[in-house]
Short mmCIF file of all heavy atoms in Angstrom, two decimals:
data_model
loop_
_atom_site.label_atom_id
_atom_site.label_comp_id
_atom_site.label_asym_id
_atom_site.label_seq_id
_atom_site.Cartn_x
_atom_site.Cartn_y
_atom_site.Cartn_z
N GLY A 1561 22.55 103.53 102.82
CA GLY A 1561 22.40 102.15 102.36
C GLY A 1561 22.27 102.08 100.85
O GLY A 1561 22.95 101.29 100.19
N ALA A 1565 24.84 100.50 98.07
CA ALA A 1565 24.37 99.48 97.13
C ALA A 1565 24.72 99.89 95.69
O ALA A 1565 25.17 99.08 94.89
CB ALA A 1565 22.87 99.28 97.28
N ALA A 1575 26.83 90.90 95.73
CA ALA A 1575 26.55 90.35 97.05
C ALA A 1575 26.63 91.44 98.12
O ALA A 1575 25.75 91.57 98.97
CB ALA A 1575 27.54 89.24 97.36
N ALA A 1577 26.50 94.62 97.51
CA ALA A 1577 25.47 95.62 97.20
C ALA A 1577 24.16 95.25 97.89
O ALA A 1577 23.45 96.11 98.39
CB ALA A 1577 25.27 95.72 95.70
N SER A 1578 23.88 93.95 97.92
CA SER A 1578 22.62 93.53 98.54
C SER A 1578 22.61 93.94 100.02
O SER A 1578 21.57 94.29 100.56
CB SER A 1578 22.46 92.03 98.42
OG SER A 1578 23.24 91.37 99.38
N LEU A 1579 23.78 93.92 100.65
CA LEU A 1579 23.85 94.30 102.07
C LEU A 1579 23.37 95.74 102.26
O LEU A 1579 22.58 96.04 103.16
CB LEU A 1579 25.30 94.16 102.53
CG LEU A 1579 25.58 94.18 104.01
CD1 LEU A 1579 24.89 93.04 104.69
CD2 LEU A 1579 27.08 94.11 104.23
N GLY A 1580 23.85 96.63 101.37
CA GLY A 1580 23.42 98.03 101.46
C GLY A 1580 21.93 98.17 101.23
O GLY A 1580 21.25 98.92 101.93
N LEU A 1581 21.43 97.42 100.24
CA LEU A 1581 20.01 97.53 99.94
C LEU A 1581 19.17 96.99 101.10
O LEU A 1581 18.16 97.59 101.48
CB LEU A 1581 19.69 96.77 98.65
CG LEU A 1581 18.25 96.91 98.19
CD1 LEU A 1581 17.94 98.35 97.84
CD2 LEU A 1581 17.97 96.03 97.00
N ILE A 1582 19.61 95.87 101.67
CA ILE A 1582 18.87 95.31 102.81
C ILE A 1582 18.85 96.33 103.95
O ILE A 1582 17.81 96.56 104.58
CB ILE A 1582 19.52 93.99 103.27
CG1 ILE A 1582 19.33 92.92 102.21
CG2 ILE A 1582 18.91 93.52 104.58
CD1 ILE A 1582 20.18 91.69 102.41
N ALA A 1583 20.01 96.95 104.20
CA ALA A 1583 20.07 97.95 105.26
C ALA A 1583 19.09 99.09 104.98
O ALA A 1583 18.36 99.52 105.87
CB ALA A 1583 21.50 98.49 105.38
N ALA A 1584 19.06 99.55 103.72
CA ALA A 1584 18.18 100.67 103.37
C ALA A 1584 16.73 100.28 103.54
O ALA A 1584 15.94 101.03 104.12
CB ALA A 1584 18.45 101.12 101.94
N LEU A 1585 16.35 99.09 103.04
CA LEU A 1585 14.95 98.68 103.15
C LEU A 1585 14.56 98.45 104.60
O LEU A 1585 13.47 98.84 105.04
CB LEU A 1585 14.73 97.40 102.35
CG LEU A 1585 14.82 97.54 100.84
CD1 LEU A 1585 14.71 96.19 100.17
CD2 LEU A 1585 13.72 98.45 100.32
N PHE A 1586 15.47 97.83 105.35
CA PHE A 1586 15.17 97.57 106.76
C PHE A 1586 15.00 98.90 107.50
O PHE A 1586 14.08 99.06 108.32
CB PHE A 1586 16.31 96.75 107.37
CG PHE A 1586 15.94 96.03 108.63
CD1 PHE A 1586 16.86 95.22 109.28
CD2 PHE A 1586 14.67 96.13 109.17
CE1 PHE A 1586 16.53 94.55 110.44
CE2 PHE A 1586 14.32 95.46 110.32
CZ PHE A 1586 15.26 94.67 110.97
N HIS A 1587 15.85 99.85 107.20
CA HIS A 1587 15.72 101.13 107.88
C HIS A 1587 14.44 101.85 107.45
O HIS A 1587 13.84 102.57 108.24
CB HIS A 1587 16.95 102.01 107.66
CG HIS A 1587 17.10 103.05 108.73
ND1 HIS A 1587 17.46 102.73 110.02
CD2 HIS A 1587 16.90 104.38 108.73
CE1 HIS A 1587 17.47 103.82 110.75
NE2 HIS A 1587 17.14 104.84 110.00
N THR A 1588 14.04 101.64 106.19
CA THR A 1588 12.76 102.20 105.74
C THR A 1588 11.62 101.69 106.61
O THR A 1588 10.79 102.46 107.10
CB THR A 1588 12.52 101.81 104.28
OG1 THR A 1588 13.61 102.27 103.50
CG2 THR A 1588 11.24 102.41 103.75
N SER A 1649 18.93 97.97 111.93
CA SER A 1649 19.17 98.49 110.58
C SER A 1649 20.38 99.41 110.56
O SER A 1649 21.10 99.46 109.57
CB SER A 1649 17.93 99.19 110.05
OG SER A 1649 17.43 100.09 110.97
N LEU A 1652 23.37 97.21 110.24
CA LEU A 1652 23.57 96.76 108.86
C LEU A 1652 24.13 97.88 107.99
O LEU A 1652 24.99 97.65 107.13
CB LEU A 1652 22.25 96.26 108.27
CG LEU A 1652 21.83 94.86 108.71
CD1 LEU A 1652 20.40 94.58 108.29
CD2 LEU A 1652 22.76 93.82 108.11
N THR A 1653 23.65 99.12 108.22
CA THR A 1653 24.18 100.25 107.45
C THR A 1653 25.66 100.42 107.73
O THR A 1653 26.46 100.60 106.81
CB THR A 1653 23.42 101.54 107.82
OG1 THR A 1653 22.03 101.28 107.75
CG2 THR A 1653 23.77 102.67 106.88
N VAL A 1738 13.70 89.28 109.53
CA VAL A 1738 13.35 90.38 108.63
C VAL A 1738 14.44 90.56 107.57
O VAL A 1738 14.14 90.71 106.38
CB VAL A 1738 13.14 91.69 109.41
CG1 VAL A 1738 12.81 92.84 108.48
CG2 VAL A 1738 12.03 91.53 110.43
N SER A 1739 15.72 90.51 107.99
CA SER A 1739 16.79 90.70 107.01
C SER A 1739 16.76 89.60 105.97
O SER A 1739 17.03 89.84 104.79
CB SER A 1739 18.16 90.71 107.67
OG SER A 1739 18.11 91.28 108.91
N GLU A 1740 16.44 88.38 106.41
CA GLU A 1740 16.36 87.28 105.45
C GLU A 1740 15.29 87.54 104.40
O GLU A 1740 15.49 87.31 103.21
CB GLU A 1740 16.02 85.98 106.19
CG GLU A 1740 17.20 85.09 106.39
CD GLU A 1740 16.78 83.80 107.08
OE1 GLU A 1740 15.84 83.82 107.90
OE2 GLU A 1740 17.39 82.78 106.79
N LEU A 1741 14.13 88.04 104.87
CA LEU A 1741 13.05 88.33 103.92
C LEU A 1741 13.46 89.45 102.97
O LEU A 1741 13.17 89.39 101.77
CB LEU A 1741 11.78 88.70 104.68
CG LEU A 1741 11.12 87.55 105.42
CD1 LEU A 1741 9.99 88.06 106.29
CD2 LEU A 1741 10.59 86.52 104.43
N LEU A 1742 14.15 90.47 103.52
CA LEU A 1742 14.55 91.58 102.66
C LEU A 1742 15.62 91.14 101.67
O LEU A 1742 15.73 91.70 100.59
CB LEU A 1742 15.04 92.75 103.51
CG LEU A 1742 13.95 93.39 104.36
CD1 LEU A 1742 14.51 94.47 105.25
CD2 LEU A 1742 12.87 93.98 103.46
N ALA A 1743 16.40 90.12 102.05
CA ALA A 1743 17.39 89.60 101.11
C ALA A 1743 16.69 89.06 99.86
O ALA A 1743 17.25 89.10 98.76
CB ALA A 1743 18.22 88.50 101.78
N GLU A 1744 15.45 88.57 100.04
CA GLU A 1744 14.70 88.10 98.86
C GLU A 1744 14.38 89.25 97.92
O GLU A 1744 14.40 89.08 96.70
CB GLU A 1744 13.41 87.43 99.31
CG GLU A 1744 13.63 86.06 99.90
CD GLU A 1744 12.32 85.42 100.30
OE1 GLU A 1744 11.31 85.63 99.60
OE2 GLU A 1744 12.32 84.72 101.32
N VAL A 1745 14.06 90.42 98.50
CA VAL A 1745 13.82 91.59 97.65
C VAL A 1745 15.07 91.90 96.85
O VAL A 1745 15.03 92.14 95.64
CB VAL A 1745 13.42 92.83 98.50
CG1 VAL A 1745 13.19 94.03 97.63
CG2 VAL A 1745 12.19 92.53 99.32
N ALA A 1746 16.22 91.89 97.55
CA ALA A 1746 17.49 92.20 96.88
C ALA A 1746 17.76 91.18 95.78
O ALA A 1746 18.21 91.53 94.68
CB ALA A 1746 18.62 92.21 97.89
N MET A 1751 20.44 91.09 93.06
CA MET A 1751 21.53 91.26 93.99
C MET A 1751 21.45 90.16 95.03
O MET A 1751 21.04 90.38 96.17
CB MET A 1751 21.45 92.63 94.67
CG MET A 1751 21.96 93.75 93.80
SD MET A 1751 21.81 95.30 94.64
CE MET A 1751 20.24 95.85 94.06
N SER A 1753 22.38 87.93 97.98
CA SER A 1753 23.30 88.32 99.05
C SER A 1753 24.42 87.29 99.22
O SER A 1753 25.50 87.64 99.65
CB SER A 1753 22.56 88.54 100.35
OG SER A 1753 21.69 87.49 100.60
N MET A 1757 25.64 88.04 103.56
CA MET A 1757 24.83 88.04 104.77
C MET A 1757 24.23 86.67 105.00
O MET A 1757 23.70 86.05 104.09
CB MET A 1757 23.72 89.08 104.68
CG MET A 1757 23.09 89.36 106.02
SD MET A 1757 21.56 90.28 105.88
CE MET A 1757 20.45 88.98 105.39
#
Side-chain angles (χ1 to χ4, degrees):
Chain A
S1578 79
L1579 194 62
L1581 185 64
I1582 292 167
L1585 291 175
F1586 200 178
H1587 202 71
T1588 303
S1649 49
L1652 282 169
T1653 310
V1738 179
S1739 326
E1740 257 182 328
L1741 290 172
L1742 293 176
E1744 286 181 35
V1745 179
M1751 281 179 267
S1753 48
M1757 195 193 78

